[in-house]
Amino acid sequence: MAPIGVFDSGYGGLTVLKEIMSVIPDQDYLYLGDNARAPYGTRSFDIVYRFTLDAVKYLFDQGCRLVVLACNTASAKALRNIQMLDLPKIDPQRRVLGVIRPTVEKLPQLTRNGHIGVLGTPGTIQSQSYDLEIQKFFPQYTVTGHGCPMWVPLVENREADTPGADYFVEQEIRRLMRKDPEIDTIILGCTHYPLLIDKIRQYVPEGVRIVPQGEIVAESLKDYLGRHPGLTQATPLGGPALDGHLGGPALDGHHADAQHQVTYLTTESADRFGDMASLFLGKPVKARRVEL
Ligand code: DGL
């Protein structure tokens, strides 16, 4: 089997991977966190595109035929270019998917009045990717984005349960709701925000729906794989065998259980990644450091 590549700037994509593994347990996964160059949330369009393309190429070289950008910032700033400009040159048979489209497609089942709030990193919000995607499918909706620059550092510094988090969560929710008091659905458009969901719930007005995206992305991926089963087969029909990460000797960072094999790769310290992973996955993992 070809592993499914799951990419994020760092740890946040693990919240998406966790949901994907629970909805699609019978696949192999190769997770890559570009921790050495994270955060992406405050970086320019060109840099996020370049870094994300490096990662996608790396995962393709490891045998992935399908890569999920489990990062809103990368999905917002790099996905379109990679799909339009790079994939046709690299290999038109391979696929790169993001997290924004599946989240947006779910909206009609969630909103009652079409007033949508989007919380994300400053980069995701400035890119207006959610606004554009929502307008394309549902031009009747009103979209209000709001950047929360402090939320990722709060989570990564293990401050998500402290009074400091209350201050920043309340402040940003207020600012968002002030921009459009009619918002009835708030998309958590950043992989880290599910870790703040208890605090977010406290400050969001009653009746407003909060939408973490992990499960939505996982369900959508399951559906996609059902329609494109060849993407997880190592040898495309009639094509040469791909270099698979599973063919070589056992690697550090390689976890196998009865159902699937998961390999965790990071561009920074493997020990630190393994330790921080417990925050996002609920268990520590063994990771391996790689150079892109
Ligand atoms: N994973 C990123 C996202 O979903 C947030 C972390 C970062 O800024 O790199 O937008």
Side-chain angles (χ1 to χ4, degrees), residues 8-9 39-41 71-73 121 124 152 190-192:
D8 180 46
S9 55
Y40 280 16
C71 173
N72 285 271
T73 311
T121 63
T124 297
V152 167
C190 173
T191 50
H192 285 57

Side-chain angles (χ1 to χ4, degrees), residues 117-122 124-126 131 144-149 151 168 171-177 179 187 193:
V118 183
L119 297 171
T121 63
T124 297
I125 299 305
Q126 278 155 21
D131 312 54
T144 306
H146 184 71
C148 307
W151 288 16
F168 285 108
Q171 173 169 274
E172 305 301 14
I173 299 284
R174 276 212 185 144
R175 287 176 178 160
L176 172 72
M177 295 307 298
K179 290 182 190 172
I187 296 173
Y193 297 178

Side-chain angles (χ1 to χ4, degrees), residues 19 119 151 160 165-166 168-170 172-174 177 186 188 193-213 215:
E19 299 293 340
L119 297 171
W151 288 16
D166 281 277
F168 285 108
V169 170
E170 182 178 18
E172 305 301 14
I173 299 284
R174 276 212 185 144
M177 295 307 298
I186 298 178
L188 302 187
Y193 297 178
L195 280 92
L196 287 165
I197 199 158
D198 290 340
K199 294 243 181 283
I200 296 170
R201 267 198 202 106
Q202 274 178 46
Y203 297 107
V204 160
E206 220 166 286
V208 174
R209 206 180 274 247
I210 304 162
V211 185
Q213 46 187 186
E215 203 184 319

Side-chain angles (χ1 to χ4, degrees), residues 26-236:
D26 52 350
Q27 298 290 341
D28 294 335
Y29 296 95
L30 193 50
Y31 182 92
L32 172 61
D34 190 9
N35 297 80
R37 303 189 289 193
Y40 280 16
T42 42
R43 291 195 187 276
S44 67
F45 185 96
D46 283 349
I47 294 293
V48 173
Y49 167 46
R50 214 179 73 208
F51 287 179
T52 306
L53 182 58
D54 290 345
V56 166
K57 284 181 175 166
Y58 183 88
L59 287 167
F60 282 169
D61 285 346
Q62 303 307 304
C64 298
R65 309 194 64 230
L66 168 65
V67 173
V68 178
L69 303 184
C71 173
N72 285 271
T73 311
S75 298
K77 294 188 163 181
L79 179 61
R80 204 176 145 72
N81 270 359
I82 292 176
Q83 286 176 334
M84 309 277 289
L85 306 176
D86 300 296
L87 268 185
K89 284 185 266 173
I90 300 171
D91 181 351
Q93 307 283 343
R94 303 201 195 201
R95 291 287 179 272
V96 181
L97 305 174
V99 289
I100 295 177
R101 168 75 69 92
T103 309
V104 166
E105 282 173 349
K106 189 84 181 166
L107 286 175
Q109 292 168 49
L110 303 171
T111 180
R112 295 173 302 276
N113 67 5
H115 285 255
I116 313 295
V118 183
L119 297 171
T121 63
T124 297
I125 299 305
Q126 278 155 21
S127 74
Q128 298 205 312
S129 298
Y130 273 96
D131 312 54
L132 295 170
E133 199 73 10
I134 293 172
Q135 291 309 323
K136 196 159 68 191
F137 289 100
F138 314 111
Q140 71 279 22
Y141 287 3
T142 304
V143 188
T144 306
H146 184 71
C148 307
M150 291 302 292
W151 288 16
V152 167
L154 276 173
V155 171
E156 295 209 352
N157 288 293
R158 299 180 192 266
E159 295 282 340
D161 295 323
T162 65
D166 281 277
Y167 172 82
F168 285 108
V169 170
E170 182 178 18
Q171 173 169 274
E172 305 301 14
I173 299 284
R174 276 212 185 144
R175 287 176 178 160
L176 172 72
M177 295 307 298
R178 216 177 288 141
K179 290 182 190 172
D180 177 7
E182 286 187 65
I183 287 171
D184 81 341
T185 303
I186 298 178
I187 296 173
L188 302 187
C190 173
T191 50
H192 285 57
Y193 297 178
L195 280 92
L196 287 165
I197 199 158
D198 290 340
K199 294 243 181 283
I200 296 170
R201 267 198 202 106
Q202 274 178 46
Y203 297 107
V204 160
E206 220 166 286
V208 174
R209 206 180 274 247
I210 304 162
V211 185
Q213 46 187 186
E215 203 184 319
I216 296 174
V217 170
E219 291 291 348
S220 161
L221 183 63
K222 186 178 178 186
D223 181 60
Y224 187 85
L225 284 176
R227 286 180 284 120
H228 304 85
L231 288 172
T232 52
Q233 285 161 13
T235 312

